[in-house]
Amino acid sequence: MKNQYVKDLQKDNSVCDYFAVSSKMPVSEYKNGYRFSFKISDKTGSINANFWGRADKETVSAIQSTFEEGDVVLITGGKTNIFNDKLVININEGSGEVKKTEDFDIEELVVSTTKNIPEMITKFYSEIESIKNEDIKRLLKSIFSDDFMKKYSKSPAAKIKHHNYVGGLLEHVLSMIAISKIIADQYEPDLDVDLMIAGCMLHDVGKIFEYETKITVRQTIEGYLLGHIPIGAKMVESEIDKLNDFPRMLKNNILHMILSHHGKLEHGSPVVPHFPEAVALSKIDDCDAQTKNALQENS
């Protein structure tokens, strides 16, 4: 049974419990020997940890190689401290230890949204029903079947930043839809709110194939090689092509919004936004992502 959680840790606490490994850095030299840092998490949050070793690099490297991202480690003899205004865990060779363990409860480690997922699913489907454009509505109904929603509703929106937890993608999308409606009202009737809602629902749809959640959020091989933008555009295009008489311009607009939602080529978008709804979508996505990321970092 887990007794210590990340959210409850405070300065000068002794640490003796298990955590999931989110990431790990290589061994590096410091003034007293060799060290490595790694990031750990449980269902309440994440925290950086440092292992401070002595002058024997081989010993420190051997310890560092005993666990990988996605493993669970037991920390004993750790001590919390403040570094750069953030809480960290320090483990000193000789007085502390970090080692891989198989003795854990996965439900204590997997981070999930604090919102009610079934309620969010109901809200999501009600947004589809509110859409007046019948072509957009039938596309969304075709994609978001009950089976697909099981995956979509459990997917994270990111690996290490905003909404990086089970249910994060659905939470992110519903937030974007709410912002879209406010912006559409501001510019009414010049923005197509149905198209914007579709863009919100579909822009990150490829992330259900880019990430997998086990003990931590991990990137799949498909996600690493292709990325969620091409994956999502290809998937949506395939669904559109199954529908009879789907308007060609609407198809192009929806695909463009998926392909351009990162806003800039250097941010991973194959194209930049070329019409108002696409511009709005990229800004709404960035606004919600950056705001949530800041909230998570300061929580």
Side-chain angles (χ1 to χ4, degrees), residues 97-222:
E97 186 178 30
V98 53
K99 63 179 180 179
K100 182 177 176 179
T101 181
E102 301 294 341
D103 184 15
F104 60 86
D105 181 352
I106 192 169
E107 292 185 359
E108 300 284 9
L109 297 174
V110 177
V111 183
S112 297
T113 176
T114 58
K115 299 183 182 297
N116 185 292
I117 290 179
E119 289 180 2
M120 288 198 293
I121 292 173
T122 299
K123 174 64 174 173
F124 186 94
Y125 281 133
S126 73
E127 294 292 355
I128 293 178
E129 291 299 331
S130 73
I131 289 175
K132 297 180 175 61
N133 185 303
E134 291 300 324
D135 289 308
I136 291 177
K137 184 182 289 188
R138 66 190 177 109
L139 170 62
L140 295 175
K141 285 186 172 182
S142 174
I143 291 175
F144 292 103
S145 64
D146 289 343
D147 285 342
F148 187 83
M149 180 54 77
K150 288 178 183 177
K151 297 179 181 178
Y152 189 88
S153 64
K154 298 293 180 66
S155 178
K159 179 182 175 183
I160 58 173
K161 293 191 177 182
H162 72 97
H163 301 91
N164 58 328
Y165 42 74
V166 172
L169 177 59
L170 186 57
E171 184 182 326
H172 174 48
V173 166
L174 288 175
S175 179
M176 287 178 61
I177 290 173
I179 297 170
S180 292
K181 288 181 176 181
I182 294 171
I183 292 177
D185 284 345
Q186 180 69 25
Y187 293 100
E188 197 274 333
D190 296 322
L191 289 179
D192 184 339
V193 68
D194 287 350
L195 186 59
M196 291 175 67
I197 291 173
C200 292
M201 291 181 172
L202 297 173
H203 80 290
D204 273 350
V205 74
K207 286 187 174 178
I208 72 165
F209 302 106
E210 183 177 26
Y211 300 122
E212 61 180 358
T213 304
K214 292 184 178 178
I215 293 172
T216 59
V217 176
R218 305 181 74 174
Q219 192 173 39
T220 64
I221 293 175
E222 183 180 11

Side-chain angles (χ1 to χ4, degrees), residues 5-289:
Y5 295 93
V6 170
K7 73 176 181 64
D8 298 323
L9 294 175
Q10 298 178 6
K11 185 177 181 294
D12 295 328
N13 283 167
S14 296
V15 179
C16 181
D17 217 319
Y18 64 82
F19 303 87
V21 179
S22 305
S23 61
K24 185 180 70 168
M25 299 299 290
V27 172
S28 61
E29 190 172 8
Y30 76 109
K31 64 179 182 178
N32 294 324
Y34 293 88
R35 62 175 294 272
F36 64 89
S37 61
F38 55 106
K39 193 168 189 176
I40 55 176
S41 64
D42 59 29
K43 67 179 182 180
T44 69
S46 61
I47 187 171
N48 289 322
N50 301 295
F51 182 87
W52 302 95
R54 297 167 182 161
D56 185 353
K57 183 178 181 180
E58 289 186 3
T59 298
V60 178
S61 296
I63 294 170
Q64 192 262 6
S65 68
T66 58
F67 62 89
E68 300 295 338
E69 177 183 328
D71 287 339
V72 177
V73 293
L74 175 64
I75 293 175
T76 54
K79 187 90 169 184
T80 56
N81 205 342
I82 302 295
F83 179 73
N84 286 342
D85 297 324
K86 290 187 177 182
L87 194 69
V88 298
I89 297 174
N90 291 316
I91 306 127
N92 294 314
E93 183 183 351
S95 60
E97 186 178 30
V98 53
K99 63 179 180 179
K100 182 177 176 179
T101 181
E102 301 294 341
D103 184 15
F104 60 86
D105 181 352
I106 192 169
E107 292 185 359
E108 300 284 9
L109 297 174
V110 177
V111 183
S112 297
T113 176
T114 58
K115 299 183 182 297
N116 185 292
I117 290 179
E119 289 180 2
M120 288 198 293
I121 292 173
T122 299
K123 174 64 174 173
F124 186 94
Y125 281 133
S126 73
E127 294 292 355
I128 293 178
E129 291 299 331
S130 73
I131 289 175
K132 297 180 175 61
N133 185 303
E134 291 300 324
D135 289 308
I136 291 177
K137 184 182 289 188
R138 66 190 177 109
L139 170 62
L140 295 175
K141 285 186 172 182
S142 174
I143 291 175
F144 292 103
S145 64
D146 289 343
D147 285 342
F148 187 83
M149 180 54 77
K150 288 178 183 177
K151 297 179 181 178
Y152 189 88
S153 64
K154 298 293 180 66
S155 178
K159 179 182 175 183
I160 58 173
K161 293 191 177 182
H162 72 97
H163 301 91
N164 58 328
Y165 42 74
V166 172
L169 177 59
L170 186 57
E171 184 182 326
H172 174 48
V173 166
L174 288 175
S175 179
M176 287 178 61
I177 290 173
I179 297 170
S180 292
K181 288 181 176 181
I182 294 171
I183 292 177
D185 284 345
Q186 180 69 25
Y187 293 100
E188 197 274 333
D190 296 322
L191 289 179
D192 184 339
V193 68
D194 287 350
L195 186 59
M196 291 175 67
I197 291 173
C200 292
M201 291 181 172
L202 297 173
H203 80 290
D204 273 350
V205 74
K207 286 187 174 178
I208 72 165
F209 302 106
E210 183 177 26
Y211 300 122
E212 61 180 358
T213 304
K214 292 184 178 178
I215 293 172
T216 59
V217 176
R218 305 181 74 174
Q219 192 173 39
T220 64
I221 293 175
E222 183 180 11
Y224 175 73
L225 294 176
L226 302 180
H228 72 277
I229 292 178
I231 293 171
K234 182 179 179 181
M235 191 200 84
V236 172
E237 182 174 31
S238 176
E239 287 296 321
I240 290 175
D241 290 343
K242 296 176 186 176
L243 301 176
N244 294 326
D245 302 320
F246 197 88
R248 183 175 180 180
M249 182 55 73
L250 181 57
K251 171 184 175 179
N252 287 336
N253 284 346
I254 289 172
L255 293 178
H256 175 76
M257 292 176 80
I258 296 171
L259 292 169
S260 66
H261 78 265
H262 277 190
K264 298 180 179 180
L265 302 181
E266 57 266 35
H267 292 168
S269 281
V271 289
V272 297
H274 286 311
F275 55 85
E277 290 83 0
V279 172
L281 178 71
S282 70
K283 299 300 183 183
I284 292 165
D285 179 36
D286 188 57
C287 175
D288 188 61

